[in-house]
Amino acid sequence: MAGYQMQKEDILKRLGRVEGQVRGISRMIEDDRYCIDVLDQVAAVTRALQQVSIGLMHDHLSHCLVEAVANGGDEATSKIDEATAAIARLVKS
């Protein structure tokens, strides 16, 4: 089971809002809105997606990683490596 299962509805609501924001940006481009206004909305979408990422990472660490560490062995090492790689990808973005 995914670690975010308990908050799935919240995540989907957030992503729905992000989707609406992206559609709004498309409309702004179609309407030839001022560049800075469009960039402000892009920044807002970026922040919203970062918040989703942080929430998913928290859930992964507190559920999947904790469970793997409790079980120990190769699975624990693998999950730690996996989480570290995911964090590295998020930091680069």
Side-chain angles (χ1 to χ4, degrees):
M1 176 169 68
Y4 58 83
Q5 192 66 34
M6 298 300 288
Q7 297 178 19
K8 187 175 183 176
E9 286 185 35
D10 292 335
I11 293 168
L12 290 173
K13 284 179 190 176
R14 279 180 176 246
L15 289 173
R17 286 192 295 271
V18 169
E19 183 179 6
Q21 286 177 291
V22 171
R23 281 194 307 271
I25 293 170
S26 293
R27 284 191 301 274
M28 291 175 79
I29 297 294
E30 289 172 357
D31 295 342
D32 295 322
R33 296 281 299 273
Y34 185 56
C35 297
I36 299 301
D37 293 339
V38 176
L39 289 170
D40 287 343
Q41 290 307 308
V42 170
V45 167
T46 301
R47 285 190 304 273
L49 285 173
Q50 287 170 340
Q51 289 301 321
V52 170
S53 296
I54 289 168
L56 287 168
M57 181 56 66
H58 178 271
D59 290 346
H60 177 71
L61 294 174
S62 62
H63 179 269
C64 302
L65 186 65
V66 167
E67 184 178 310
V69 169
N71 293 336
D74 290 340
E75 182 185 6
T77 303
S78 174
K79 290 291 182 183
I80 290 169
D81 291 344
E82 181 182 62
T84 301
I87 292 167
R89 288 190 302 272
L90 288 172
V91 170
K92 285 182 185 178
S93 63

